[in-house]
PDB file of all heavy atoms in Angstrom:
ATOM      1  N   LEU A 217    -204.555  -4.419-192.808  1.00 95.00           N
ATOM      2  CA  LEU A 217    -204.344  -5.852-192.570  1.00 95.00           C
ATOM      3  C   LEU A 217    -203.846  -6.542-193.851  1.00 95.00           C
ATOM      4  O   LEU A 217    -203.001  -7.410-193.817  1.00 95.00           O
ATOM      5  CB  LEU A 217    -205.652  -6.470-192.079  1.00 95.00           C
ATOM      6  CG  LEU A 217    -205.574  -7.775-191.267  1.00 95.00           C
ATOM      7  CD1 LEU A 217    -204.642  -7.643-190.062  1.00 95.00           C
ATOM      8  CD2 LEU A 217    -206.950  -8.201-190.818  1.00 95.00           C
ATOM      9  N   LEU A 218    -204.373  -6.125-194.985  1.00 95.00           N
ATOM     10  CA  LEU A 218    -203.903  -6.641-196.293  1.00 95.00           C
ATOM     11  C   LEU A 218    -202.465  -6.196-196.534  1.00 95.00           C
ATOM     12  O   LEU A 218    -201.649  -7.003-197.001  1.00 95.00           O
ATOM     13  CB  LEU A 218    -204.837  -6.131-197.425  1.00 95.00           C
ATOM     14  CG  LEU A 218    -204.364  -6.441-198.849  1.00 95.00           C
ATOM     15  CD1 LEU A 218    -204.179  -7.941-199.092  1.00 95.00           C
ATOM     16  CD2 LEU A 218    -205.341  -5.872-199.875  1.00 95.00           C
ATOM     17  N   VAL A 219    -202.146  -4.952-196.238  1.00 96.00           N
ATOM     18  CA  VAL A 219    -200.769  -4.455-196.417  1.00 96.00           C
ATOM     19  C   VAL A 219    -199.784  -5.312-195.601  1.00 96.00           C
ATOM     20  O   VAL A 219    -198.710  -5.726-196.101  1.00 96.00           O
ATOM     21  CB  VAL A 219    -200.679  -2.986-196.026  1.00 96.00           C
ATOM     22  CG1 VAL A 219    -199.220  -2.498-195.984  1.00 96.00           C
ATOM     23  CG2 VAL A 219    -201.481  -2.099-196.993  1.00 96.00           C
ATOM     24  N   GLU A 220    -200.170  -5.647-194.375  1.00 97.00           N
ATOM     25  CA  GLU A 220    -199.295  -6.494-193.518  1.00 97.00           C
ATOM     26  C   GLU A 220    -199.186  -7.905-194.080  1.00 97.00           C
ATOM     27  O   GLU A 220    -198.108  -8.495-194.135  1.00 97.00           O
ATOM     28  CB  GLU A 220    -199.890  -6.491-192.100  1.00 97.00           C
ATOM     29  CG  GLU A 220    -199.125  -7.361-191.115  1.00 97.00           C
ATOM     30  CD  GLU A 220    -197.691  -6.923-190.789  1.00 97.00           C
ATOM     31  OE1 GLU A 220    -197.215  -5.935-191.383  1.00 97.00           O
ATOM     32  OE2 GLU A 220    -197.061  -7.631-189.973  1.00 97.00           O
ATOM     33  N   ALA A 221    -200.311  -8.444-194.571  1.00 97.00           N
ATOM     34  CA  ALA A 221    -200.265  -9.797-195.162  1.00 97.00           C
ATOM     35  C   ALA A 221    -199.380  -9.804-196.413  1.00 97.00           C
ATOM     36  O   ALA A 221    -198.627 -10.775-196.657  1.00 97.00           O
ATOM     37  CB  ALA A 221    -201.722 -10.230-195.526  1.00 97.00           C
ATOM     38  N   GLU A 222    -199.432  -8.738-197.226  1.00 98.00           N
ATOM     39  CA  GLU A 222    -198.587  -8.649-198.421  1.00 98.00           C
ATOM     40  C   GLU A 222    -197.098  -8.573-198.008  1.00 98.00           C
ATOM     41  O   GLU A 222    -196.252  -9.171-198.668  1.00 98.00           O
ATOM     42  CB  GLU A 222    -198.976  -7.434-199.234  1.00 98.00           C
ATOM     43  CG  GLU A 222    -200.299  -7.597-199.959  1.00 98.00           C
ATOM     44  CD  GLU A 222    -200.715  -6.345-200.728  1.00 98.00           C
ATOM     45  OE1 GLU A 222    -200.130  -5.261-200.495  1.00 98.00           O
ATOM     46  OE2 GLU A 222    -201.642  -6.475-201.608  1.00 98.00           O
ATOM     47  N   ARG A 223    -196.817  -7.840-196.963  1.00 97.00           N
ATOM     48  CA  ARG A 223    -195.416  -7.719-196.494  1.00 97.00           C
ATOM     49  C   ARG A 223    -194.873  -9.080-196.094  1.00 97.00           C
ATOM     50  O   ARG A 223    -193.741  -9.466-196.436  1.00 97.00           O
ATOM     51  CB  ARG A 223    -195.392  -6.751-195.297  1.00 97.00           C
ATOM     52  CG  ARG A 223    -193.994  -6.437-194.796  1.00 97.00           C
ATOM     53  CD  ARG A 223    -194.016  -5.545-193.558  1.00 97.00           C
ATOM     54  NE  ARG A 223    -194.427  -6.241-192.387  1.00 97.00           N
ATOM     55  CZ  ARG A 223    -193.630  -7.033-191.635  1.00 97.00           C
ATOM     56  NH1 ARG A 223    -192.386  -7.199-191.992  1.00 97.00           N
ATOM     57  NH2 ARG A 223    -194.072  -7.645-190.552  1.00 97.00           N
ATOM     58  N   ILE A 224    -195.708  -9.873-195.369  1.00 97.00           N
ATOM     59  CA  ILE A 224    -195.295 -11.208-194.953  1.00 97.00           C
ATOM     60  C   ILE A 224    -195.117 -12.113-196.151  1.00 97.00           C
ATOM     61  O   ILE A 224    -194.146 -12.892-196.220  1.00 97.00           O
ATOM     62  CB  ILE A 224    -196.334 -11.782-193.956  1.00 97.00           C
ATOM     63  CG1 ILE A 224    -196.316 -10.971-192.662  1.00 97.00           C
ATOM     64  CG2 ILE A 224    -196.095 -13.239-193.694  1.00 97.00           C
ATOM     65  CD1 ILE A 224    -197.526 -11.180-191.744  1.00 97.00           C
ATOM     66  N   ALA A 225    -196.017 -12.043-197.131  1.00 98.00           N
ATOM     67  CA  ALA A 225    -195.892 -12.856-198.364  1.00 98.00           C
ATOM     68  C   ALA A 225    -194.616 -12.543-199.107  1.00 98.00           C
ATOM     69  O   ALA A 225    -193.969 -13.468-199.617  1.00 98.00           O
ATOM     70  CB  ALA A 225    -197.147 -12.623-199.274  1.00 98.00           C
ATOM     71  N   LEU A 226    -194.253 -11.275-199.167  1.00 97.00           N
ATOM     72  CA  LEU A 226    -193.028 -10.879-199.868  1.00 97.00           C
ATOM     73  C   LEU A 226    -191.763 -11.418-199.147  1.00 97.00           C
ATOM     74  O   LEU A 226    -190.830 -11.831-199.760  1.00 97.00           O
ATOM     75  CB  LEU A 226    -192.937  -9.367-200.012  1.00 97.00           C
ATOM     76  CG  LEU A 226    -193.870  -8.770-201.088  1.00 97.00           C
ATOM     77  CD1 LEU A 226    -193.770  -7.239-201.078  1.00 97.00           C
ATOM     78  CD2 LEU A 226    -193.507  -9.288-202.495  1.00 97.00           C
ATOM     79  N   LEU A 227    -191.810 -11.384-197.806  1.00 97.00           N
ATOM     80  CA  LEU A 227    -190.693 -11.931-197.044  1.00 97.00           C
ATOM     81  C   LEU A 227    -190.533 -13.446-197.328  1.00 97.00           C
ATOM     82  O   LEU A 227    -189.415 -13.946-197.515  1.00 97.00           O
ATOM     83  CB  LEU A 227    -190.949 -11.764-195.529  1.00 97.00           C
ATOM     84  CG  LEU A 227    -190.615 -10.420-194.863  1.00 97.00           C
ATOM     85  CD1 LEU A 227    -191.112 -10.418-193.428  1.00 97.00           C
ATOM     86  CD2 LEU A 227    -189.145 -10.148-194.908  1.00 97.00           C
ATOM     87  N   ALA A 228    -191.693 -14.121-197.379  1.00 97.00           N
ATOM     88  CA  ALA A 228    -191.683 -15.571-197.630  1.00 97.00           C
ATOM     89  C   ALA A 228    -191.222 -15.864-199.066  1.00 97.00           C
ATOM     90  O   ALA A 228    -190.455 -16.795-199.326  1.00 97.00           O
ATOM     91  CB  ALA A 228    -193.067 -16.169-197.398  1.00 97.00           C
ATOM     92  N   ALA A 229    -191.677 -15.054-200.035  1.00 97.00           N
ATOM     93  CA  ALA A 229    -191.259 -15.231-201.423  1.00 97.00           C
ATOM     94  C   ALA A 229    -189.773 -15.066-201.556  1.00 97.00           C
ATOM     95  O   ALA A 229    -189.076 -15.848-202.278  1.00 97.00           O
ATOM     96  CB  ALA A 229    -192.023 -14.246-202.325  1.00 97.00           C
ATOM     97  N   LYS A 230    -189.217 -14.057-200.904  1.00 96.00           N
ATOM     98  CA  LYS A 230    -187.771 -13.817-200.965  1.00 96.00           C
ATOM     99  C   LYS A 230    -186.990 -14.987-200.378  1.00 96.00           C
ATOM    100  O   LYS A 230    -186.002 -15.455-200.932  1.00 96.00           O
ATOM    101  CB  LYS A 230    -187.436 -12.508-200.204  1.00 96.00           C
ATOM    102  CG  LYS A 230    -185.970 -12.113-200.377  1.00 96.00           C
ATOM    103  CD  LYS A 230    -185.668 -10.791-199.695  1.00 96.00           C
ATOM    104  CE  LYS A 230    -184.251 -10.349-199.950  1.00 96.00           C
ATOM    105  NZ  LYS A 230    -183.224 -11.396-199.768  1.00 96.00           N
ATOM    106  N   ARG A 231    -187.464 -15.497-199.286  1.00 96.00           N
ATOM    107  CA  ARG A 231    -186.830 -16.647-198.636  1.00 96.00           C
ATOM    108  C   ARG A 231    -186.828 -17.882-199.571  1.00 96.00           C
ATOM    109  O   ARG A 231    -185.824 -18.583-199.758  1.00 96.00           O
ATOM    110  CB  ARG A 231    -187.581 -16.959-197.331  1.00 96.00           C
ATOM    111  CG  ARG A 231    -187.074 -18.170-196.581  1.00 96.00           C
ATOM    112  CD  ARG A 231    -185.794 -17.865-195.842  1.00 96.00           C
ATOM    113  NE  ARG A 231    -185.323 -19.027-195.152  1.00 96.00           N
ATOM    114  CZ  ARG A 231    -184.157 -19.138-194.602  1.00 96.00           C
ATOM    115  NH1 ARG A 231    -183.283 -18.121-194.647  1.00 96.00           N
ATOM    116  NH2 ARG A 231    -183.753 -20.221-193.968  1.00 96.00           N
TER     117      ARG A 231
END
Side-chain angles (χ1 to χ4, degrees):
L217 203 53
L218 172 58
V219 171
E220 178 64 359
E222 288 178 345
R223 186 183 74 80
I224 293 164
L226 286 175
L227 278 174
K230 186 176 183 315
R231 177 77 181 169

